[in-house]
Amino acid sequence: MQTVKQNFISFGEHLRTLRTKMELPLREVASHLGIDPSLLAKIERSERQPTKQLIKDVANYFHVNEKELQNEFLSDQIAYKIIDEEADLEILKAAEQKVYYLKTHRNG
Amino acid sequence: MQTVKQNFISFGEHLRTLRTKMELPLREVASHLGIDPSLLAKIERSERQPTKQLIKDVANYFHVNEKELQNEFLSDQIAYKIIDEEADLEILKAAEQKVYYLKTHRNG
DNA sequence: ACTTTTTTGGACATTATTTGTCCATTTTAA
DNA sequence: TTAAAATGGACAAATAATGTCCAAAAAAGT
């Protein structure tokens, strides 16, 4: 049996899942991460954004892959942006092309 | 013959193309747009971001589609973000799924 | 070569946005 | 019903972005 990855879950929701599965209160986890419990709660609810350092700390604390968490957070940001700019999903394809273009044309 | 759309061109580059094709100096266009020539230059070079109002003004001034310019700018932002976070292009798919998910789950 | 116009780019004050904390209130569970 | 946990608003502090001014560099014109 393998884990089914639901990649429409936000970083915050994922974080909350990790925490609640271990039955830890905000207080406990926040303390280990060196932040205020209220801030942790806000991050879980996507009312605040995690810093890179926090993502790293979360990955260490819960023994999950850091890069995966980073990607998760980044895709959140992109999704939210598209929604509140009411943009067409087409722009993702355009963005992809731009990434290719920019990467192949770096330094010249 | 139809126009070939190169959608890896940034908003700024597009703007510069529009301006130079009409052989207008920064001074001239900036004045019509109500901004400093230096700011316009920076926007053309993607050193500053256009406001929504400016995108609208640009669309009017050059008689081009506003929504298209908006999308162009937005895809720039996403592309730049991916590049400087050194993120995997996979996240675009994840973002797309999140958009679907969030849109279908709005209000509940 | 000289002058004028255009463009670039740094410095900087201003404005806007985001962050993290505190604390009161609400919710949950014991 | 009381103790612990979670929420959420307010707010100061930190950070980031904006737009202007101006001097220097580059390009165009004579």
mmCIF file of all heavy atoms in Angstrom, chain C residues 10-26:
data_model
loop_
_atom_site.group_PDB
_atom_site.id
_atom_site.type_symbol
_atom_site.label_atom_id
_atom_site.label_comp_id
_atom_site.label_asym_id
_atom_site.label_seq_id
_atom_site.Cartn_x
_atom_site.Cartn_y
_atom_site.Cartn_z
ATOM 1 P P DG C 10 22.991 50.364 -11.140
ATOM 2 O OP1 DG C 10 24.153 49.582 -11.585
ATOM 3 O OP2 DG C 10 21.710 49.695 -10.824
ATOM 4 O "O5'" DG C 10 23.417 51.249 -9.883
ATOM 5 C "C5'" DG C 10 24.394 52.274 -10.048
ATOM 6 C "C4'" DG C 10 24.036 53.478 -9.193
ATOM 7 O "O4'" DG C 10 22.942 54.210 -9.797
ATOM 8 C "C3'" DG C 10 23.585 53.110 -7.784
ATOM 9 O "O3'" DG C 10 24.303 53.930 -6.874
ATOM 10 C "C2'" DG C 10 22.091 53.413 -7.771
ATOM 11 C "C1'" DG C 10 21.984 54.534 -8.808
ATOM 12 N N9 DG C 10 20.695 54.624 -9.476
ATOM 13 C C8 DG C 10 20.048 53.622 -10.154
ATOM 14 N N7 DG C 10 18.902 54.008 -10.661
ATOM 15 C C5 DG C 10 18.788 55.332 -10.299
ATOM 16 C C6 DG C 10 17.762 56.272 -10.564
ATOM 17 O O6 DG C 10 16.717 56.113 -11.193
ATOM 18 N N1 DG C 10 18.039 57.512 -10.004
ATOM 19 C C2 DG C 10 19.162 57.807 -9.289
ATOM 20 N N2 DG C 10 19.260 59.062 -8.821
ATOM 21 N N3 DG C 10 20.134 56.951 -9.028
ATOM 22 C C4 DG C 10 19.878 55.729 -9.567
ATOM 23 P P DA C 11 24.303 53.603 -5.344
ATOM 24 O OP1 DA C 11 25.708 53.769 -4.877
ATOM 25 O OP2 DA C 11 23.557 52.359 -5.099
ATOM 26 O "O5'" DA C 11 23.433 54.816 -4.774
ATOM 27 C "C5'" DA C 11 23.692 56.134 -5.227
ATOM 28 C "C4'" DA C 11 22.654 57.071 -4.640
ATOM 29 O "O4'" DA C 11 21.455 57.026 -5.447
ATOM 30 C "C3'" DA C 11 22.230 56.732 -3.215
ATOM 31 O "O3'" DA C 11 22.165 57.957 -2.506
ATOM 32 C "C2'" DA C 11 20.851 56.070 -3.390
ATOM 33 C "C1'" DA C 11 20.324 56.801 -4.628
ATOM 34 N N9 DA C 11 19.370 56.064 -5.447
ATOM 35 C C8 DA C 11 19.427 54.738 -5.804
ATOM 36 N N7 DA C 11 18.438 54.353 -6.574
ATOM 37 C C5 DA C 11 17.677 55.494 -6.737
ATOM 38 C C6 DA C 11 16.481 55.746 -7.456
ATOM 39 N N6 DA C 11 15.845 54.834 -8.164
ATOM 40 N N1 DA C 11 15.978 57.001 -7.397
ATOM 41 C C2 DA C 11 16.636 57.933 -6.685
ATOM 42 N N3 DA C 11 17.762 57.807 -5.973
ATOM 43 C C4 DA C 11 18.228 56.553 -6.047
ATOM 44 P P DC C 12 21.998 58.005 -0.933
ATOM 45 O OP1 DC C 12 22.757 59.188 -0.485
ATOM 46 O OP2 DC C 12 22.238 56.658 -0.367
ATOM 47 O "O5'" DC C 12 20.443 58.329 -0.786
ATOM 48 C "C5'" DC C 12 19.888 59.421 -1.502
ATOM 49 C "C4'" DC C 12 18.386 59.337 -1.455
ATOM 50 O "O4'" DC C 12 17.909 58.424 -2.458
ATOM 51 C "C3'" DC C 12 17.854 58.810 -0.115
ATOM 52 O "O3'" DC C 12 16.987 59.765 0.438
ATOM 53 C "C2'" DC C 12 17.120 57.531 -0.498
ATOM 54 C "C1'" DC C 12 16.754 57.812 -1.957
ATOM 55 N N1 DC C 12 16.464 56.593 -2.741
ATOM 56 C C2 DC C 12 15.383 56.590 -3.624
ATOM 57 O O2 DC C 12 14.709 57.614 -3.747
ATOM 58 N N3 DC C 12 15.095 55.463 -4.319
ATOM 59 C C4 DC C 12 15.848 54.376 -4.158
ATOM 60 N N4 DC C 12 15.538 53.284 -4.866
ATOM 61 C C5 DC C 12 16.958 54.359 -3.263
ATOM 62 C C6 DC C 12 17.228 55.476 -2.580
ATOM 63 P P DA C 13 16.832 59.873 2.031
ATOM 64 O OP1 DA C 13 17.773 60.923 2.502
ATOM 65 O OP2 DA C 13 16.851 58.533 2.632
ATOM 66 O "O5'" DA C 13 15.359 60.469 2.106
ATOM 67 C "C5'" DA C 13 14.985 61.506 1.208
ATOM 68 C "C4'" DA C 13 13.565 61.272 0.705
ATOM 69 O "O4'" DA C 13 13.506 60.069 -0.111
ATOM 70 C "C3'" DA C 13 12.543 61.074 1.824
ATOM 71 O "O3'" DA C 13 11.386 61.833 1.481
ATOM 72 C "C2'" DA C 13 12.265 59.567 1.810
ATOM 73 C "C1'" DA C 13 12.451 59.234 0.336
ATOM 74 N N9 DA C 13 12.848 57.852 0.061
ATOM 75 C C8 DA C 13 13.797 57.116 0.712
ATOM 76 N N7 DA C 13 13.943 55.896 0.226
ATOM 77 C C5 DA C 13 13.033 55.840 -0.819
ATOM 78 C C6 DA C 13 12.700 54.826 -1.729
ATOM 79 N N6 DA C 13 13.274 53.626 -1.752
ATOM 80 N N1 DA C 13 11.750 55.104 -2.646
ATOM 81 C C2 DA C 13 11.159 56.312 -2.626
ATOM 82 N N3 DA C 13 11.383 57.342 -1.828
ATOM 83 C C4 DA C 13 12.343 57.031 -0.931
ATOM 84 P P DT C 14 10.168 61.965 2.510
ATOM 85 O OP1 DT C 14 9.611 63.308 2.406
ATOM 86 O OP2 DT C 14 10.596 61.388 3.810
ATOM 87 O "O5'" DT C 14 9.133 60.942 1.844
ATOM 88 C "C5'" DT C 14 8.762 61.114 0.488
ATOM 89 C "C4'" DT C 14 7.876 59.957 0.075
ATOM 90 O "O4'" DT C 14 8.659 58.754 -0.064
ATOM 91 C "C3'" DT C 14 6.767 59.625 1.078
ATOM 92 O "O3'" DT C 14 5.540 59.732 0.358
ATOM 93 C "C2'" DT C 14 7.080 58.202 1.537
ATOM 94 C "C1'" DT C 14 7.861 57.661 0.337
ATOM 95 N N1 DT C 14 8.774 56.516 0.587
ATOM 96 C C2 DT C 14 8.667 55.394 -0.224
ATOM 97 O O2 DT C 14 7.850 55.298 -1.126
ATOM 98 N N3 DT C 14 9.555 54.389 0.041
ATOM 99 C C4 DT C 14 10.519 54.381 1.034
ATOM 100 O O4 DT C 14 11.267 53.423 1.180
ATOM 101 C C5 DT C 14 10.574 55.577 1.854
ATOM 102 C C7 DT C 14 11.573 55.666 2.957
ATOM 103 C C6 DT C 14 9.711 56.574 1.593
ATOM 104 P P DT C 15 4.137 59.597 1.092
ATOM 105 O OP1 DT C 15 3.187 60.492 0.409
ATOM 106 O OP2 DT C 15 4.344 59.657 2.561
ATOM 107 O "O5'" DT C 15 3.778 58.097 0.697
ATOM 108 C "C5'" DT C 15 3.890 57.700 -0.664
ATOM 109 C "C4'" DT C 15 3.649 56.215 -0.762
ATOM 110 O "O4'" DT C 15 4.801 55.486 -0.301
ATOM 111 C "C3'" DT C 15 2.473 55.717 0.080
ATOM 112 O "O3'" DT C 15 1.595 55.091 -0.842
ATOM 113 C "C2'" DT C 15 3.096 54.776 1.100
ATOM 114 C "C1'" DT C 15 4.369 54.335 0.390
ATOM 115 N N1 DT C 15 5.518 53.901 1.230
ATOM 116 C C2 DT C 15 6.129 52.694 0.950
ATOM 117 O O2 DT C 15 5.750 51.954 0.069
ATOM 118 N N3 DT C 15 7.205 52.385 1.741
ATOM 119 C C4 DT C 15 7.712 53.138 2.764
ATOM 120 O O4 DT C 15 8.692 52.750 3.400
ATOM 121 C C5 DT C 15 7.035 54.387 3.015
ATOM 122 C C7 DT C 15 7.524 55.267 4.116
ATOM 123 C C6 DT C 15 5.987 54.708 2.245
ATOM 124 P P DA C 16 0.280 54.348 -0.348
ATOM 125 O OP1 DA C 16 -0.722 54.479 -1.441
ATOM 126 O OP2 DA C 16 -0.046 54.764 1.032
ATOM 127 O "O5'" DA C 16 0.769 52.837 -0.316
ATOM 128 C "C5'" DA C 16 1.421 52.291 -1.443
ATOM 129 C "C4'" DA C 16 1.754 50.847 -1.163
ATOM 130 O "O4'" DA C 16 2.882 50.758 -0.264
ATOM 131 C "C3'" DA C 16 0.621 50.069 -0.506
ATOM 132 O "O3'" DA C 16 0.491 48.873 -1.248
ATOM 133 C "C2'" DA C 16 1.103 49.856 0.943
ATOM 134 C "C1'" DA C 16 2.622 49.825 0.752
ATOM 135 N N9 DA C 16 3.425 50.254 1.896
ATOM 136 C C8 DA C 16 3.315 51.402 2.620
ATOM 137 N N7 DA C 16 4.215 51.528 3.571
ATOM 138 C C5 DA C 16 4.975 50.377 3.452
ATOM 139 C C6 DA C 16 6.084 49.899 4.165
ATOM 140 N N6 DA C 16 6.650 50.563 5.172
ATOM 141 N N1 DA C 16 6.608 48.703 3.802
ATOM 142 C C2 DA C 16 6.043 48.048 2.784
ATOM 143 N N3 DA C 16 5.000 48.387 2.036
ATOM 144 C C4 DA C 16 4.503 49.573 2.423
ATOM 145 P P DT C 17 -0.555 47.750 -0.884
ATOM 146 O OP1 DT C 17 -1.043 47.181 -2.142
ATOM 147 O OP2 DT C 17 -1.483 48.284 0.147
ATOM 148 O "O5'" DT C 17 0.376 46.672 -0.181
ATOM 149 C "C5'" DT C 17 1.556 46.249 -0.851
ATOM 150 C "C4'" DT C 17 2.298 45.286 0.044
ATOM 151 O "O4'" DT C 17 2.914 45.997 1.136
ATOM 152 C "C3'" DT C 17 1.401 44.219 0.674
ATOM 153 O "O3'" DT C 17 1.967 42.978 0.295
ATOM 154 C "C2'" DT C 17 1.465 44.532 2.173
ATOM 155 C "C1'" DT C 17 2.826 45.205 2.291
ATOM 156 N N1 DT C 17 3.046 46.132 3.428
ATOM 157 C C2 DT C 17 4.149 45.944 4.238
ATOM 158 O O2 DT C 17 4.939 45.027 4.079
ATOM 159 N N3 DT C 17 4.299 46.857 5.241
ATOM 160 C C4 DT C 17 3.473 47.931 5.508
ATOM 161 O O4 DT C 17 3.733 48.686 6.444
ATOM 162 C C5 DT C 17 2.337 48.079 4.633
ATOM 163 C C7 DT C 17 1.389 49.210 4.845
ATOM 164 C C6 DT C 17 2.179 47.184 3.639
ATOM 165 P P DT C 18 1.353 41.596 0.767
ATOM 166 O OP1 DT C 18 1.614 40.604 -0.293
ATOM 167 O OP2 DT C 18 -0.014 41.835 1.286
ATOM 168 O "O5'" DT C 18 2.292 41.243 2.011
ATOM 169 C "C5'" DT C 18 3.696 41.341 1.859
ATOM 170 C "C4'" DT C 18 4.346 40.948 3.167
ATOM 171 O "O4'" DT C 18 4.323 42.057 4.083
ATOM 172 C "C3'" DT C 18 3.665 39.776 3.868
ATOM 173 O "O3'" DT C 18 4.675 38.801 4.067
ATOM 174 C "C2'" DT C 18 3.096 40.403 5.149
ATOM 175 C "C1'" DT C 18 4.028 41.593 5.377
ATOM 176 N N1 DT C 18 3.468 42.770 6.101
ATOM 177 C C2 DT C 18 4.194 43.335 7.129
ATOM 178 O O2 DT C 18 5.272 42.910 7.499
ATOM 179 N N3 DT C 18 3.614 44.432 7.712
ATOM 180 C C4 DT C 18 2.394 45.009 7.375
ATOM 181 O O4 DT C 18 1.982 45.993 7.970
ATOM 182 C C5 DT C 18 1.687 44.365 6.279
ATOM 183 C C7 DT C 18 0.373 44.911 5.840
ATOM 184 C C6 DT C 18 2.248 43.296 5.705
ATOM 185 P P DT C 19 4.484 37.513 4.936
ATOM 186 O OP1 DT C 19 5.417 36.510 4.399
ATOM 187 O OP2 DT C 19 3.056 37.214 5.082
ATOM 188 O "O5'" DT C 19 5.038 37.980 6.351
ATOM 189 C "C5'" DT C 19 6.351 38.537 6.428
ATOM 190 C "C4'" DT C 19 6.633 38.887 7.862
ATOM 191 O "O4'" DT C 19 5.797 40.002 8.229
ATOM 192 C "C3'" DT C 19 6.308 37.762 8.843
ATOM 193 O "O3'" DT C 19 7.517 37.347 9.447
ATOM 194 C "C2'" DT C 19 5.315 38.371 9.830
ATOM 195 C "C1'" DT C 19 5.425 39.870 9.568
ATOM 196 N N1 DT C 19 4.183 40.672 9.703
ATOM 197 C C2 DT C 19 4.144 41.697 10.604
ATOM 198 O O2 DT C 19 5.071 41.964 11.334
ATOM 199 N N3 DT C 19 2.966 42.402 10.629
ATOM 200 C C4 DT C 19 1.850 42.179 9.848
ATOM 201 O O4 DT C 19 0.854 42.876 9.957
ATOM 202 C C5 DT C 19 1.956 41.092 8.917
ATOM 203 C C7 DT C 19 0.803 40.765 8.032
ATOM 204 C C6 DT C 19 3.097 40.390 8.883
ATOM 205 P P DG C 20 7.597 35.939 10.185
ATOM 206 O OP1 DG C 20 8.990 35.469 10.160
ATOM 207 O OP2 DG C 20 6.510 35.067 9.687
ATOM 208 O "O5'" DG C 20 7.227 36.371 11.668
ATOM 209 C "C5'" DG C 20 8.076 37.301 12.325
ATOM 210 C "C4'" DG C 20 7.421 37.776 13.606
ATOM 211 O "O4'" DG C 20 6.269 38.565 13.273
ATOM 212 C "C3'" DG C 20 6.909 36.643 14.515
ATOM 213 O "O3'" DG C 20 7.498 36.841 15.790
ATOM 214 C "C2'" DG C 20 5.393 36.821 14.506
ATOM 215 C "C1'" DG C 20 5.243 38.298 14.194
ATOM 216 N N9 DG C 20 3.991 38.676 13.552
ATOM 217 C C8 DG C 20 3.360 38.030 12.518
ATOM 218 N N7 DG C 20 2.244 38.611 12.140
ATOM 219 C C5 DG C 20 2.136 39.709 12.980
ATOM 220 C C6 DG C 20 1.143 40.698 13.043
ATOM 221 O O6 DG C 20 0.121 40.828 12.361
ATOM 222 N N1 DG C 20 1.413 41.644 14.041
ATOM 223 C C2 DG C 20 2.511 41.614 14.869
ATOM 224 N N2 DG C 20 2.617 42.593 15.765
ATOM 225 N N3 DG C 20 3.450 40.695 14.816
ATOM 226 C C4 DG C 20 3.201 39.769 13.858
ATOM 227 P P DT C 21 7.200 35.937 17.030
ATOM 228 O OP1 DT C 21 8.473 35.736 17.736
ATOM 229 O OP2 DT C 21 6.360 34.800 16.607
ATOM 230 O "O5'" DT C 21 6.302 36.931 17.906
ATOM 231 C "C5'" DT C 21 6.815 38.231 18.187
ATOM 232 C "C4'" DT C 21 5.803 39.007 19.001
ATOM 233 O "O4'" DT C 21 4.673 39.360 18.172
ATOM 234 C "C3'" DT C 21 5.243 38.257 20.211
ATOM 235 O "O3'" DT C 21 5.407 39.105 21.347
ATOM 236 C "C2'" DT C 21 3.766 38.008 19.850
ATOM 237 C "C1'" DT C 21 3.473 39.151 18.876
ATOM 238 N N1 DT C 21 2.439 38.894 17.863
ATOM 239 C C2 DT C 21 1.404 39.790 17.697
ATOM 240 O O2 DT C 21 1.281 40.796 18.374
ATOM 241 N N3 DT C 21 0.504 39.469 16.722
ATOM 242 C C4 DT C 21 0.533 38.364 15.898
ATOM 243 O O4 DT C 21 -0.331 38.184 15.048
ATOM 244 C C5 DT C 21 1.645 37.460 16.113
ATOM 245 C C7 DT C 21 1.754 36.232 15.277
ATOM 246 C C6 DT C 21 2.533 37.762 17.078
ATOM 247 P P DC C 22 5.195 38.501 22.831
ATOM 248 O OP1 DC C 22 6.271 39.079 23.652
ATOM 249 O OP2 DC C 22 4.956 37.047 22.800
ATOM 250 O "O5'" DC C 22 3.818 39.215 23.217
ATOM 251 C "C5'" DC C 22 3.662 40.603 22.940
ATOM 252 C "C4'" DC C 22 2.211 40.998 23.109
ATOM 253 O "O4'" DC C 22 1.461 40.627 21.933
ATOM 254 C "C3'" DC C 22 1.506 40.332 24.296
ATOM 255 O "O3'" DC C 22 0.845 41.341 25.033
ATOM 256 C "C2'" DC C 22 0.512 39.360 23.642
ATOM 257 C "C1'" DC C 22 0.229 40.051 22.314
ATOM 258 N N1 DC C 22 -0.194 39.156 21.203
ATOM 259 C C2 DC C 22 -1.265 39.512 20.392
ATOM 260 O O2 DC C 22 -1.859 40.581 20.600
ATOM 261 N N3 DC C 22 -1.642 38.696 19.379
ATOM 262 C C4 DC C 22 -0.970 37.549 19.174
ATOM 263 N N4 DC C 22 -1.379 36.778 18.162
ATOM 264 C C5 DC C 22 0.126 37.163 19.992
ATOM 265 C C6 DC C 22 0.480 37.984 20.988
ATOM 266 P P DC C 23 0.375 41.092 26.550
ATOM 267 O OP1 DC C 23 0.534 42.394 27.236
ATOM 268 O OP2 DC C 23 0.964 39.860 27.113
ATOM 269 O "O5'" DC C 23 -1.187 40.838 26.310
ATOM 270 C "C5'" DC C 23 -1.922 41.789 25.556
ATOM 271 C "C4'" DC C 23 -3.265 41.209 25.164
ATOM 272 O "O4'" DC C 23 -3.123 40.328 24.028
ATOM 273 C "C3'" DC C 23 -3.921 40.356 26.259
ATOM 274 O "O3'" DC C 23 -5.278 40.726 26.351
ATOM 275 C "C2'" DC C 23 -3.779 38.929 25.738
ATOM 276 C "C1'" DC C 23 -3.931 39.198 24.238
ATOM 277 N N1 DC C 23 -3.473 38.092 23.370
ATOM 278 C C2 DC C 23 -4.159 37.835 22.173
ATOM 279 O O2 DC C 23 -5.117 38.545 21.863
ATOM 280 N N3 DC C 23 -3.757 36.810 21.394
ATOM 281 C C4 DC C 23 -2.710 36.056 21.766
ATOM 282 N N4 DC C 23 -2.342 35.049 20.962
ATOM 283 C C5 DC C 23 -1.995 36.303 22.971
ATOM 284 C C6 DC C 23 -2.406 37.319 23.737
ATOM 285 P P DA C 24 -6.037 40.694 27.772
ATOM 286 O OP1 DA C 24 -5.665 41.960 28.458
ATOM 287 O OP2 DA C 24 -5.819 39.398 28.435
ATOM 288 O "O5'" DA C 24 -7.557 40.788 27.314
ATOM 289 C "C5'" DA C 24 -7.884 41.611 26.194
ATOM 290 C "C4'" DA C 24 -8.865 40.878 25.300
ATOM 291 O "O4'" DA C 24 -8.182 39.884 24.501
ATOM 292 C "C3'" DA C 24 -9.954 40.123 26.060
ATOM 293 O "O3'" DA C 24 -11.191 40.372 25.407
ATOM 294 C "C2'" DA C 24 -9.538 38.662 25.952
ATOM 295 C "C1'" DA C 24 -8.870 38.650 24.587
ATOM 296 N N9 DA C 24 -7.891 37.576 24.405
ATOM 297 C C8 DA C 24 -6.900 37.196 25.267
ATOM 298 N N7 DA C 24 -6.161 36.200 24.832
ATOM 299 C C5 DA C 24 -6.714 35.906 23.598
ATOM 300 C C6 DA C 24 -6.387 34.949 22.617
ATOM 301 N N6 DA C 24 -5.390 34.071 22.744
ATOM 302 N N1 DA C 24 -7.132 34.914 21.495
ATOM 303 C C2 DA C 24 -8.138 35.796 21.374
ATOM 304 N N3 DA C 24 -8.541 36.741 22.213
ATOM 305 C C4 DA C 24 -7.780 36.745 23.319
ATOM 306 P P DT C 25 -12.568 39.918 26.078
ATOM 307 O OP1 DT C 25 -13.514 41.042 25.943
ATOM 308 O OP2 DT C 25 -12.261 39.314 27.401
ATOM 309 O "O5'" DT C 25 -13.041 38.768 25.080
ATOM 310 C "C5'" DT C 25 -13.084 39.036 23.679
ATOM 311 C "C4'" DT C 25 -13.222 37.732 22.927
ATOM 312 O "O4'" DT C 25 -11.995 36.968 23.035
ATOM 313 C "C3'" DT C 25 -14.335 36.819 23.451
ATOM 314 O "O3'" DT C 25 -15.233 36.577 22.387
ATOM 315 C "C2'" DT C 25 -13.604 35.553 23.905
ATOM 316 C "C1'" DT C 25 -12.333 35.609 23.056
ATOM 317 N N1 DT C 25 -11.163 34.853 23.591
ATOM 318 C C2 DT C 25 -10.611 33.876 22.810
ATOM 319 O O2 DT C 25 -11.022 33.570 21.709
ATOM 320 N N3 DT C 25 -9.521 33.237 23.369
ATOM 321 C C4 DT C 25 -8.961 33.483 24.607
ATOM 322 O O4 DT C 25 -7.987 32.839 24.996
ATOM 323 C C5 DT C 25 -9.597 34.526 25.373
ATOM 324 C C7 DT C 25 -9.077 34.864 26.741
ATOM 325 C C6 DT C 25 -10.653 35.158 24.841
ATOM 326 P P DT C 26 -16.566 35.748 22.612
ATOM 327 O OP1 DT C 26 -17.623 36.357 21.790
ATOM 328 O OP2 DT C 26 -16.755 35.497 24.061
ATOM 329 O "O5'" DT C 26 -16.143 34.357 21.932
ATOM 330 C "C5'" DT C 26 -15.594 34.368 20.629
ATOM 331 C "C4'" DT C 26 -15.140 32.963 20.275
ATOM 332 O "O4'" DT C 26 -13.974 32.607 21.057
ATOM 333 C "C3'" DT C 26 -16.191 31.889 20.561
ATOM 334 O "O3'" DT C 26 -16.321 31.131 19.365
ATOM 335 C "C2'" DT C 26 -15.604 31.084 21.719
ATOM 336 C "C1'" DT C 26 -14.106 31.270 21.499
ATOM 337 N N1 DT C 26 -13.222 31.129 22.701
ATOM 338 C C2 DT C 26 -12.163 30.262 22.642
ATOM 339 O O2 DT C 26 -11.922 29.574 21.674
ATOM 340 N N3 DT C 26 -11.380 30.230 23.769
ATOM 341 C C4 DT C 26 -11.548 30.972 24.925
ATOM 342 O O4 DT C 26 -10.779 30.860 25.865
ATOM 343 C C5 DT C 26 -12.686 31.856 24.928
ATOM 344 C C7 DT C 26 -12.976 32.689 26.123
ATOM 345 C C6 DT C 26 -13.466 31.902 23.823
#
